[in-house]
Amino acid sequence: MKLGCVLMAWALYLSLGVLWVAQMLLAAGCHADWLILQGPAKPVFEGDLLVLRCQAWQDWPLTQVTFYRDGSALGPPGPNREFSITVVQKADSGHYHCSGIFQSPGPGIPETASVVAITVQELFPAPILRAVPSAEPQAGSPMTLSCQTKLPLQRSAARLLFSFYKDGRIVQSRGLSSEFQIPTASEDHSGSYWCEAATEDNQVWKQSPQLEIRVQGASSSAAPPTLNPAPQKSAAPGTAPEEAPGPLPPPPTPSSEDPGFSSPLGMPDPHLYHQMGLLLKHMQDVRVLLGHLLMELRELSGHRKPGTTKATAE
């Protein structure tokens, strides 16, 4: 019985001594060892799960636990010793700490942990869309659009999915290929393009700036044929131009008001005027020759009449 009382007395004495030492340490400003904020041991990247734990010395029970970032509370005080962000972003970077109140057998006064700096690193930069051979390809030539970005060495095993868009519409759905092939560029391929890179879980995705594609030579290759008449060979000096065989109707006098002497586009055709002028000149020459021929026939007819009368009289 006496031994039991002695042991209980020693236990009480030791407990009081420990409590006194704890109070002395707190009074001396050694509170950092009583409460610490545990953060991730590895680098934190966009899209990761971030877990912070407010750990008490000897795992003593805590109450009224509060987490802070850059001096601002992240929520009301509570019993939860952990704070987590499911999908962390670069904006979550900052200086974190926690505070809490020790319960029995602790000192029973508020404690604050030291500040821990958390830096969320970029998983990959925003992609850049590049055109090969250029953003102004010639019509009919091939073109390749490449969505360029890069994962960090620590996450090189991760995979990104790429998609391509033109004028607000998707032209190639998400896939592992970072290129969009255009075998034959045409006017329809001109427009505003951009691409998107995303993680397989779609937790992190980023778009590239827009790239304007202008296909060169597309208008001339796709233009309808002109309505101008086919060019004709000019006649050599001093020679008449060749005409198609067959009778020709008598042409009217060329006039700028006559639609028959205008090109299909409504403009006078100088070449046609020249040909018609030559044709009229030749017709006039033929008319003169016919007149001379008629006169000679009349003269011949007049010379033959006296001879014919004399032969009849004999």
Side-chain angles (χ1 to χ4, degrees):
M1 185 66 178
K2 291 183 179 181
L3 180 60
C5 292
V6 171
L7 292 176
M8 289 179 63
W10 273 103
L12 180 60
Y13 175 78
L14 292 175
S15 298
L16 292 174
V18 170
L19 182 59
W20 178 80
V21 171
Q23 291 177 342
M24 292 297 293
L25 290 174
L26 289 174
C30 299
H31 58 276
D33 293 334
W34 291 94
L35 197 63
I36 60 173
L37 181 65
Q38 294 178 338
K42 297 180 180 180
V44 181
F45 288 92
E46 294 173 307
D48 288 351
L49 169 65
L50 176 63
V51 178
L52 302 177
R53 179 176 175 81
C54 197
Q55 181 67 39
W57 182 78
Q58 292 281 329
D59 205 21
W60 280 1
L62 289 174
T63 185
Q64 302 296 307
V65 179
T66 307
F67 291 86
Y68 302 85
R69 181 179 67 218
D70 297 332
S72 299
L74 298 175
N80 196 350
R81 298 187 182 190
E82 288 189 353
F83 173 79
S84 62
I85 301 177
T86 306
V87 181
V88 71
Q89 304 294 331
K90 289 189 66 177
D92 296 318
S93 299
H95 295 83
Y96 290 79
H97 74 277
C98 66
S99 66
I101 298 177
F102 282 89
Q103 293 179 337
S104 177
I109 59 176
E111 292 298 325
T112 301
S114 298
V115 172
V116 175
I118 301 294
T119 302
V120 180
Q121 301 184 35
E122 189 176 51
L123 182 60
F124 59 89
I128 297 177
L129 186 62
R130 301 188 185 278
V132 178
S134 74
E136 296 183 351
Q138 292 295 322
S141 64
M143 180 179 64
T144 301
L145 298 180
S146 178
C147 193
Q148 299 180 0
T149 188
K150 187 177 182 181
L151 288 165
L153 183 61
Q154 298 94 324
R155 300 298 173 88
S156 58
R159 296 197 304 178
L160 296 178
L161 302 179
F162 301 90
S163 53
F164 293 82
Y165 300 82
K166 173 182 177 287
D167 297 332
R169 294 178 297 176
I170 188 167
V171 293
Q172 181 169 294
S173 302
R174 281 186 178 179
L176 294 175
S177 175
S178 61
E179 293 184 348
F180 174 57
Q181 303 283 344
I182 299 178
T184 304
S186 66
E187 186 178 8
D188 293 338
H189 293 113
S190 297
S192 180
Y193 288 79
W194 71 91
C195 68
E196 180 182 282
T199 55
E200 290 184 298
D201 57 5
N202 202 33
Q203 297 291 357
V204 182
W205 55 272
K206 299 180 182 180
Q207 290 183 353
S208 71
Q210 295 188 5
L211 175 65
E212 293 294 328
I213 299 296
R214 291 289 177 262
V215 180
Q216 302 299 309
S219 298
S220 59
S221 61
T226 59
L227 299 178
N228 292 329
Q232 301 181 8
K233 295 181 180 179
S234 301
T239 62
E242 296 182 359
E243 298 291 341
L248 291 175
T253 304
S255 171
S256 60
E257 288 137 1
D258 189 351
F261 291 90
S262 300
S263 67
L265 297 180
M267 299 297 293
D269 191 344
H271 183 69
L272 185 58
Y273 276 149
H274 177 70
Q275 286 190 341
M276 296 302 297
L278 291 176
L279 181 60
L280 288 174
K281 183 177 182 301
H282 287 305
M283 292 181 67
Q284 291 174 358
D285 293 341
V286 171
R287 184 177 178 181
V288 172
L289 291 175
L290 288 175
H292 287 298
L293 181 60
L294 288 174
M295 292 177 63
E296 291 180 0
L297 289 175
R298 286 177 182 177
E299 290 179 359
L300 290 174
S301 176
H303 287 308
R304 293 184 61 183
K305 284 180 181 180
T308 305
T309 304
K310 182 179 179 180
T312 305
E314 290 178 356

